[in-house]
């Protein structure tokens, strides 16, 4: 079966891109990365992708008069590469309505909180500040509103009493690297259905049991 063609959008470190690259390196994985786009020339992730021989493109948003034209350039490149699924992976630009509409149900994002809690930025610090006992990460389809859209998968991590934002972010990031390739795999294999803005995943393993932190 033909592999699902991925376009990955990044702005920085690219550790989630790396996780997707490693998954795609497996012969049986049902997706392949056909284009990596960064809006920043110095993004570490773009170096990682180029070093691995992947097609990369820097589209510097500062060279475009407005968001719509920047986004149109990205869509043109993604379409030209035959992309079937756009994966946002630490892409730090807001997206225009046109872009989000064009990629409706064909664009996913990874976010380091258990959505719908803690949308936006600095979410690890905010979860600690709020006294939450758990946080985690979410892979979801992208809609016009930021960090909103049908949820595909979430992973939960405990928040420890001595956590700071960095230690929590690292614990969450390790799970991001697990669930992002998993979500892409399920989509590529046709397991994920969206109905009334909720997803169902056929063929998936049963959900985990009850989590408690601290343990009773
Ligand atoms: C991750 O925490 C991701 O959840 C968020 O941005 C960060 C990107 O990290 N959207 P990396 O560039 O993939 O290492």
């Amino acid at each position: 079966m033909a592999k699902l063609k991925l376009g990955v959008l990044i702005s920085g470190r690219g550790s989630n891109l790396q996780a997707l690259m490693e998954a795609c390196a497996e012969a049986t994985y049902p997706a392949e990365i056909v284009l990596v786009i960064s809006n920043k020339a110095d993004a570490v992730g773009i170096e990682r992708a180029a070093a691995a021989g992947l097609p990369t493109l820097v589209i510097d948003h500062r060279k475009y008069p407005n968001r719509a034209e920047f986004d149109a350039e990205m869509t043109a490149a993604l379409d030209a590469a035959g992309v079937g699924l756009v994966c946002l992976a630490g892409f730090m630009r807001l997206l225009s309505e046109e872009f989000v509409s064009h990629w409706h149900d064909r664009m996913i994002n990874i976010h380091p909180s258990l959505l719908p809690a803690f949308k936006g930025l600095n979410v690890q610090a905010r979860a600690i500040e709020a006294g939450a006992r758990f946080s985690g990460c979410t892979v979801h389809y992208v809609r016009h509103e930021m960090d909103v859209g049908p949820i595909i998968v979430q992973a939960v991590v405990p928040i420890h009493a001595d956590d700071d934002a960095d230690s929590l972010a690292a614990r969450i990031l390790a799970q991001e690297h697990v669930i992002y390739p998993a979500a892409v795999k399920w989509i590529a294999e046709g397991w994920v259905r969206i109905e009334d803005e909720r997803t169902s995943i056929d063929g998936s393993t049963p959900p985990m049991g009850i989590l408690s932190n601290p343990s009773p």
Side-chain angles (χ1 to χ4, degrees):
M1 211 174 78
K3 295 197 177 204
L4 177 64
K5 291 184 180 354
L6 309 178
V8 186
L9 269 49
I10 63 165
S11 296
R13 178 177 59 182
S15 71
N16 279 290
L17 163 67
Q18 180 78 38
L20 290 172
M21 283 165 51
E22 285 169 17
C24 290
E26 299 287 332
T28 56
Y29 193 74
E32 59 180 339
I33 298 172
V34 296
L35 185 60
V36 179
I37 298 179
S38 172
N39 65 308
K40 296 197 166 187
D42 60 356
V44 175
I46 207 88
E47 286 163 28
R48 292 181 193 223
L54 293 176
T56 61
L57 193 57
V58 174
I59 304 181
D60 185 344
H61 60 279
R62 294 168 305 183
K63 293 189 177 149
Y64 294 81
N66 53 51
R67 199 180 297 284
E69 288 189 37
F70 167 69
D71 286 0
E73 188 75 24
M74 288 200 298
T75 288
L78 293 162
D79 277 338
V83 166
L85 183 70
V86 174
C87 300
L88 304 179
F91 185 67
M92 301 304 284
R93 303 293 302 165
L94 294 175
L95 298 165
S96 62
E97 287 213 7
E98 292 81 357
F99 191 85
V100 175
S101 296
H102 183 86
W103 296 102
H104 188 82
D105 290 352
R106 297 189 298 150
M107 176 159 60
I108 61 176
N109 179 45
I110 180 129
H111 180 78
S113 79
L114 295 174
L115 292 173
F118 304 113
K119 297 166 186 159
L121 298 173
N122 304 319
V123 293
Q124 297 91 349
R126 285 163 48 210
I128 293 170
E129 179 73 15
R133 293 292 191 262
F134 286 105
S135 188
C137 44
T138 304
V139 181
H140 64 95
Y141 283 98
V142 175
R143 297 295 186 251
H144 293 296
E145 208 180 320
M146 191 173 60
D147 299 328
V148 168
I151 289 169
I152 301 161
V153 55
Q154 296 185 307
V156 177
V157 305
I159 299 179
H160 299 161
D162 60 354
D163 266 331
D164 60 18
D166 288 341
S167 62
L168 177 58
R171 192 174 306 122
I172 293 171
L173 194 65
Q175 297 308 312
E176 294 184 36
H177 299 161
V178 174
I179 65 169
Y180 212 10
V184 168
K185 179 173 185 283
W186 295 333
I187 291 169
E189 290 176 344
W191 295 119
V192 182
R193 276 182 306 170
I194 309 169
E195 210 172 315
D196 295 333
E197 292 300 89
R198 287 167 31 161
T199 70
S200 59
I201 303 179
D202 298 335
S204 71
T205 52
M208 283 190 292
I210 292 167
L211 295 175
S212 170
N213 177 34
S215 297

